[in-house]
């Protein structure tokens, strides 16, 4: 059976929260981080847990957002253009964090209704037998119970884990044409898992697909309550003026904390709640264990073993003076024919980021890519620190040796990826190199 995630009036207290969050955010974590939006009802995560404070409102206060606007397509005259949103995440909670913030509902939508398609029997949506919107709504209402009401022009329907229900993606086209309801489809590891059995019809032109990423440093500052410091850093960058020494020292300390904590929302929330690096490390361990579970679930046994071997080699790859990815570091005698498909799996899943060598610094860079030479970065610095077993106290103190240089490179790659920039580097005869 499908389960309703939430229905309630939205009075979000962060202007633009949904627009800001949905373009960016997270990767593979366990659980859901409620946001600073005042909502009625219950936040339900992938594990079925509920987190409420005494007033019945979300208990957490992570506001990891990004300054992206116009993400939800607007039509002429301020009317909503009925284009469904389909976030693609590194793994589950990316979309939960963004979607549950749901500023898309603020001022336009009265409430939201969520269906976890993993609970739908036989992979068929409540509207099995037809994709007419009226029929879908009728069947969904009967499926979810009498307390759930679909209000035209005021309801946003959230289809969670859409890859588990092939017809759900096809239905996006019908909702778009109908225009009475906004629809958000969320999915896990769609880059490698796809949508299960391919839908009968791909809704080309009727959906907006969004990639999700870990929080960047600016979002980390917002989550930590340093919005004004983030504004000062941006202002100094734009004017090319130095920060005041006191602000610079504060920002540098927070940057080092970010290197250790990373941008995974559950890790950030844990750090905000109790300031415990030990607890953050435990969250990282759970996330990394989840990655291993994902490879077992979505890749066959042969590919799964090679994928884990490639992933486990990343700290050693980055610790080398020449950080070009070498298959022989994965395993003696390793080569592209043996491990290439496993590495592609990691890239497509969003677990790692590939930085390609270009032979010439000339536009367009993609025309000069050398496909046989590249670097691989971890999607999140905090996970890299935990994976490598690095001394967190040294990093927080700015002492890291060779690994500190590798971690700094990974930080830059993470920030560029979060902004949607493809990663490239240039090198010449091992004598000169531009990292990005």
């Amino acid at each position: 059976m499908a389960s309703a995630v939430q229905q309630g009036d939205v009075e979000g207290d962060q202007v633009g929260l949904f627009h800001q969050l949905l373009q960016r955010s997270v990767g593979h974590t366990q659980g859901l981080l409620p946001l600073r939006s005042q909502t009625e009802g219950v936040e339900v995560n992938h594990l079925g847990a509920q987190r409420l404070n005494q007033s019945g409102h979300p208990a957490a206060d992570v506001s990891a957002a990004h300054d992206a606007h116009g993400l939800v397509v607007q039509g002429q005259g301020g009317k909503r253009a009925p284009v469904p949103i389909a976030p693609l995440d590194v793994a589950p909670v990316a979309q939960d964090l963004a979607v549950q913030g749901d500023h898309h509902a603020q001022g336009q939508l009265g409430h939201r209704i969520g269906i976890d398609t993993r609970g739908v029997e036989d992979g068929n949506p409540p509207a099995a037998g037809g994709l007419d919107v009226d029929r879908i709504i009728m069947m969904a209402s009967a499926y979810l119970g009498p307390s759930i009401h679909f209000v035209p022009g005021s309801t946003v329907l959230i289809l969670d884990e859409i890859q588990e229900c092939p017809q759900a993606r096809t239905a996006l086209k019908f909702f778009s044409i109908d225009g009475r309801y906004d629809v958000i489809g969320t999915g896990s590891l769609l880059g490698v898992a796809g949508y299960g059995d391919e839908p009968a019809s791909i809704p080309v032109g009727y959906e907006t697909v969004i990639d999700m990423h870990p929080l960047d440093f600016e979002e980390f500052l917002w989550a930590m309550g340093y919005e004004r410091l983030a504004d000062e850093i941006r202002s100094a960058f734009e004017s090319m003026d130095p920060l005041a020494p006191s602000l610079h020292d504060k920002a540098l300390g927070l940057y080092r904390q970010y290197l250790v904590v990373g941008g995974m929302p559950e890790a950030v929330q844990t750090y905000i709640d109790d300031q415990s690096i030990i607890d953050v490390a435990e969250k990282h361990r759970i996330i990394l264990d989840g990655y291993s579970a994902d490879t077992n679930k979505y890749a066959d046994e042969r590919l799964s073993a090679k994928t884990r071997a490639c992933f486990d080699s990343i700290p050693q790859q980055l610790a080398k003076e020449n950080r070009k990815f070498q298959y022989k570091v994965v395993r003696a005698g390793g080569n592209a024919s043996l491990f290439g498909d496993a590495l592609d799996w990691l890239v497509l899943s969003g677990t790692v980021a590939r930085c390609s060598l270009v032979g010439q610094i000339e536009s367009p860079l993609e025309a000069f890519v050398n496909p046989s030479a590249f670097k691989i970065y971890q999607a999140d610095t905090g996970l890299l620190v935990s994976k490598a077993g690095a001394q967190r106290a040294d990093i927080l103190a700015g002492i890291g040796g060779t690994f500190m240089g590798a971690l700094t490179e990974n930080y830059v790659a993470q920030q560029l990826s979060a902004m949607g920039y493809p990663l490239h580097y240039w090198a010449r005869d091992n004598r000169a190199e531009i990292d990005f």
Side-chain angles (χ1 to χ4, degrees):
M1 297 291 289
S3 60
V5 174
Q6 186 174 27
Q7 175 175 330
D9 294 334
V10 175
E11 309 169 3
D13 65 342
Q14 250 190 334
V15 176
L17 183 59
F18 181 82
H19 292 84
Q20 295 168 348
L21 270 174
L22 198 51
Q23 182 164 5
R24 305 260 305 287
S25 222
V26 227
H28 188 95
T29 71
Q30 303 294 321
L32 170 65
L33 299 180
L35 296 168
R36 289 188 297 190
S37 55
Q38 300 299 308
T39 59
E40 297 177 1
V42 178
E43 297 280 2
V44 181
N45 68 14
H46 286 280
L47 304 179
Q50 302 177 1
R51 300 177 64 185
L52 298 178
N53 61 23
Q54 293 180 350
S55 66
H57 290 152
D61 191 33
V62 168
S63 58
H66 185 261
D67 54 349
H69 300 284
L71 180 61
V72 178
V73 180
Q74 299 291 328
Q76 295 289 332
K79 296 180 179 179
R80 288 180 288 109
V83 179
I85 305 296
L88 304 183
D89 65 334
V90 176
V93 175
Q95 352 93 347
D96 280 342
L97 176 62
V99 171
Q100 295 297 336
D102 206 347
H103 176 72
H104 185 49
Q106 182 181 343
Q108 295 183 355
L109 303 170
H111 56 271
R112 59 185 179 267
I113 298 171
I115 298 176
D116 187 341
T117 61
R118 290 171 300 181
V120 178
E121 297 178 359
D122 301 323
N124 292 316
L131 293 178
D132 175 76
V133 171
D134 286 331
R135 177 176 176 78
I136 293 174
I137 297 303
M138 178 187 70
M139 296 296 290
S141 297
Y143 202 67
L144 298 173
S147 63
I148 303 300
H149 303 285
F150 289 82
V151 182
S154 184
T155 292
V156 59
L157 178 63
I158 302 170
L159 301 176
D160 193 22
E161 299 297 346
I162 195 171
Q163 78 279 359
E164 302 291 344
C165 188
Q167 289 297 312
R169 189 184 183 201
T170 301
L172 297 180
K173 175 179 179 179
F174 296 87
F175 276 98
S176 178
I177 294 173
D178 182 273
R180 287 176 292 166
Y181 306 97
D182 290 275
V183 182
I184 300 171
T186 69
S188 303
L189 296 176
L190 294 178
V192 292
Y195 290 88
D197 297 330
E198 286 299 317
S201 174
I202 303 297
V204 177
Y206 293 94
E207 66 179 1
T208 299
V209 179
I210 300 163
D211 293 314
M212 311 295 279
H213 298 274
L215 280 67
D216 67 12
F217 181 54
E218 183 178 32
E219 293 168 335
F220 177 78
L221 292 179
W222 293 346
M224 293 284 289
Y226 290 98
E227 292 93 343
R228 291 188 178 180
L229 178 58
D231 291 341
E232 287 296 322
I233 294 173
R234 179 177 292 278
S235 177
F237 172 78
E238 291 174 348
S239 65
M240 297 300 291
D241 293 324
L243 279 173
S246 58
L247 293 181
H248 180 270
D249 290 344
K250 184 65 176 180
L252 190 59
L254 287 165
Y255 158 74
R256 290 169 180 162
Q257 292 174 42
Y258 175 77
L259 292 179
V260 171
V261 176
M264 298 308 209
E266 191 73 6
V268 175
Q269 183 66 66
T270 296
Y271 188 61
I272 291 171
D273 288 344
D274 53 29
Q275 296 290 298
S276 171
I277 295 297
I278 294 176
D279 290 346
V280 168
E282 174 62 16
K283 294 298 181 184
H284 288 160
R285 183 193 65 78
I286 293 172
I287 295 168
L288 292 168
D289 287 347
Y291 282 160
S292 295
D294 283 338
T295 61
N296 291 332
K297 178 178 180 180
Y298 294 109
D300 60 45
E301 184 176 353
R302 177 190 61 85
L303 181 60
S304 177
K306 294 193 297 182
T307 299
R308 289 196 299 272
C310 287
F311 185 67
D312 290 343
S313 78
I314 292 177
Q316 295 96 317
Q317 302 279 359
L318 293 177
K320 299 186 283 83
E321 182 176 353
N322 176 8
R323 297 187 177 105
K324 173 186 172 183
F325 188 89
Q326 296 176 323
Y327 292 105
K328 66 181 182 181
V329 175
V330 180
R331 183 184 302 168
N335 53 41
S337 62
L338 183 62
F339 289 105
D341 55 350
L343 196 59
D344 288 342
W345 193 99
L346 288 171
V347 173
L348 288 172
S349 71
T351 308
V352 303
R354 188 198 306 263
C355 183
S356 301
L357 174 69
V358 293
Q360 296 179 228
I361 306 176
E362 185 177 333
S363 181
L365 290 175
E366 286 296 329
F368 303 99
V369 164
N370 179 351
S372 65
F374 52 86
K375 302 177 185 178
I376 294 293
Y377 295 101
Q378 181 86 46
D380 181 72
T381 59
L383 294 181
L384 176 60
V385 168
S386 289
K387 185 73 174 174
Q391 292 296 318
R392 295 175 177 85
D394 287 347
I395 295 172
L396 291 171
I399 305 170
T402 302
F403 183 74
M404 194 66 175
L407 185 59
T408 303
E409 269 194 41
N410 203 103
Y411 163 83
V412 175
Q414 182 175 338
Q415 308 311 298
L416 291 173
S417 294
M419 295 297 294
Y421 291 111
L423 303 181
H424 302 95
Y425 77 101
W426 174 87
R428 179 63 54 85
D429 300 329
N430 294 322
R431 293 180 299 174
E433 181 174 336
I434 299 176
D435 292 320
F436 298 98

